[in-house]
Amino acid sequence: MKPKVYIAKPIPKEVEELIANYCDYKIWNHEEPIPKEVLLKEVEDVEGLMTPKGIITEEFLAYAPRLKVVSNVAVGYDAFDIEAMKARNVIGTHTPYVLDETVADLAFGLILTSARRLAELDQFVKSGKWRGIEDDFYGQDVHHATLGIIGMGRIGEKIARRAALGFEMNVLYTNRTRKPDLEERYGIKYCETEFLLKNSDFVLVMLPLTDSTYQLIGEKEFSLMRSTAFFINCSRGKVVDEKALIKALQNGIIRGAGLDVFEEEPVEKDNPLLKMDNVVTLPHIGSATAKARFDMAMKAAENLVAGVTGKVPENIVPELKILIEK
Ligand SMILES: NC(=O)C1=CN([C@@H]2O[C@H](COP(=O)(O)OP(=O)(O)OC[C@H]3O[C@@H](n4cnc5c(N)ncnc54)[C@H](O)[C@@H]3O)[C@@H](O)[C@H]2O)C=CC1
Ligand SMILES: O=C(O)C(=O)CO
């Protein structure tokens, strides 16, 4: 008998075919997110679950007593309660590498759109205008400026390469561990966070959301930034104290921001960030190209199938590798 799995989001046909070869499966085939009560019912007797950033808590796991693997269709796995999963011996997997270049492109899009005011000027032209006073259109140069990257992981590295080699930027970075190989390859410089904040024209966060990064960037950090600097976040909204960011923008402490992520998603309609011309806002689309999303779904399916057929999935999240080492 094939193992039972549940897929909590629509997936491409080829990905479904792979799962069908090995599993007895059901799919949530609707664009709107699966309602919690439906999901809790569907997972009652499954061994595997594939989910788009599904929230896996102790309460959830109690509804899924046969669950062996949760395959997250995302690289960020902050919605996993790692201790609860460890306690119930449930492996969690994610989709690293396949989206790195795509997210790095988007991060650069945010840098360019913020600095050169692309979204604002797009609206200007579409509203029937063309020329105003010339310096009304002035933005800031990206080439040869200083980019400070907080979080030099898989995606941070791809952003650093674009910045250093493509735009000839001066790249500073902070990270939990120093990366001398990248320093040599791209000429980037490791430094203290305070130095990075004081000396960057663009401060870009590319950190996972964990207990140690929750609201890591707050009032103090914004106060150290240049008044001409832009803040770019393409990782998770909660690594920033959003109230402090709003205050910094309202009071001219920093020049602008480019945001793909927010503290609450979908972003609340009355969030002051949505009213600011110097803030570029996107609906969490860092990995949203057809190819990257296909590759993520395929990788998640491979992890799911491995987890329910007695093999070791390729992309177990680091904190849960201990479960297969037992
Ligand atoms: N906007 C979007 O659509 C996307 C957002 N993301 C987010 O970006 C995050 C990063 O992705 P990757 O680069 O693949 O992860 P990664 O794990 O390769 O890199 C994260 C880096 O942050 C560093 N780090 C962790 N905690 C730290 C701390 N307290 N202080 C300093 N450095 C710390 C790590 O050493 C690592 O080098 C994901 O966890 C996810 O939340 C990822 C993909 C798309
Ligand atoms: O992969 C992730 O962590 C995302 O946020 C969406 O791609």
Side-chain angles (χ1 to χ4, degrees):
M1 226 168 61
K2 290 177 178 173
K4 272 192 176 177
V5 301
Y6 191 71
I7 301 150
K9 74 184 287 288
I11 51 172
K13 193 166 68 49
E14 294 88 333
V15 177
E16 186 174 336
E17 281 165 6
L18 172 87
I19 295 172
N21 284 337
Y22 299 94
C23 306
D24 178 7
Y25 67 99
K26 278 172 80 180
I27 302 190
W28 175 258
N29 248 332
H30 310 276
E31 272 316 312
E32 68 274 17
I34 186 166
K36 188 176 169 190
E37 62 282 7
V38 178
L39 182 63
L40 293 180
K41 189 92 198 77
E42 293 290 359
V43 296
E44 265 172 4
D45 61 347
V46 301
E47 293 179 51
L49 169 68
M50 187 162 146
T51 169
K53 286 180 255 161
I55 298 167
I56 306 302
T57 58
E58 172 56 43
E59 183 213 356
F60 172 85
L61 293 172
Y63 282 86
R66 302 186 62 216
L67 200 59
K68 291 182 177 158
V69 60
V70 178
S71 174
N72 198 34
V73 196
V75 66
Y77 52 93
D78 41 279
F80 282 178
D81 179 336
I82 294 289
E83 290 314 313
M85 292 172 82
K86 263 189 207 161
R88 287 188 176 263
N89 222 11
V90 174
I91 287 172
T93 65
H94 65 151
T95 61
Y97 304 109
V98 290
L99 43 46
D100 295 353
E101 300 284 4
T102 302
V103 181
D105 280 351
L106 197 274
F108 240 89
L110 282 173
I111 293 173
L112 288 166
T113 308
S114 306
R116 298 298 305 272
R117 303 169 56 192
L118 302 185
E120 203 187 324
L121 292 172
D122 172 61
Q123 285 309 312
F124 185 81
V125 175
K126 285 179 180 158
S127 70
K129 298 180 197 140
W130 188 250
R131 284 270 177 264
I133 301 161
E134 193 189 69
D135 61 8
D136 275 359
F137 301 119
Y138 287 176
Q140 250 169 247
D141 280 333
V142 173
H143 67 89
H144 298 93
T146 298
L147 171 64
I149 302 178
I150 302 180
M152 188 55 67
R154 288 175 292 259
I155 301 171
E157 173 185 342
K158 306 295 184 208
I159 297 168
R161 192 191 69 220
R162 283 164 173 70
L165 305 187
F167 286 77
E168 299 185 60
M169 296 176 91
N170 175 31
V171 180
L172 306 173
Y173 79 99
T174 63
N175 196 44
R176 212 164 32 195
T177 49
R178 193 169 169 171
K179 305 251 172 112
D181 55 325
L182 297 186
E183 291 173 29
E184 196 171 323
R185 201 175 318 147
Y186 304 132
I188 66 177
K189 297 178 199 80
Y190 180 79
C191 63
E192 294 297 325
T193 304
E194 187 169 328
F195 183 87
L196 180 150
L197 294 165
K198 283 182 174 164
N199 290 284
S200 297
D201 300 304
F202 302 89
V203 171
L204 183 147
V205 186
M206 212 60 241
L207 290 166
L209 174 62
T210 63
D211 290 346
S212 74
T213 62
Y214 176 74
Q215 296 199 344
L216 194 72
I217 310 297
E219 191 175 339
K220 175 172 159 255
E221 286 68 30
F222 290 119
S223 75
L224 294 170
M225 284 173 62
R226 295 175 171 177
S227 59
T228 51
F230 291 87
F231 176 74
I232 311 291
N233 189 4
C234 197
S235 56
R236 286 290 181 269
K238 289 191 168 95
V239 303
V240 181
D241 176 348
E242 202 169 89
K243 285 196 179 63
L245 170 62
I246 291 167
K247 248 168 81 185
L249 288 160
Q250 283 169 338
N251 297 335
I253 307 291
I254 62 172
R255 166 93 184 257
L259 308 170
D260 186 40
V261 288
F262 298 84
E263 194 172 309
E264 294 301 330
E265 293 180 7
V267 65
E268 285 155 0
K269 288 194 179 68
D270 60 352
N271 188 321
L273 293 167
L274 303 184
K275 300 266 177 321
M276 298 180 186
D277 286 340
N278 55 341
V279 178
V280 177
T281 55
L282 296 176
H284 198 146
I285 47 127
S287 63
T289 66
K291 174 154 186 348
R293 287 284 165 90
F294 179 89
D295 291 348
M296 288 163 72
M298 189 56 96
K299 176 123 307 251
E302 287 163 6
N303 286 325
L304 177 78
V305 167
V308 293
T309 56
K311 302 194 181 69
V312 176
E314 189 186 342
N315 307 112
I316 301 179
V317 304
E319 295 87 339
L320 291 171
K321 286 198 173 138
I322 191 168
L323 294 178
I324 53 130
E325 286 156 6
K326 275 182 184 168

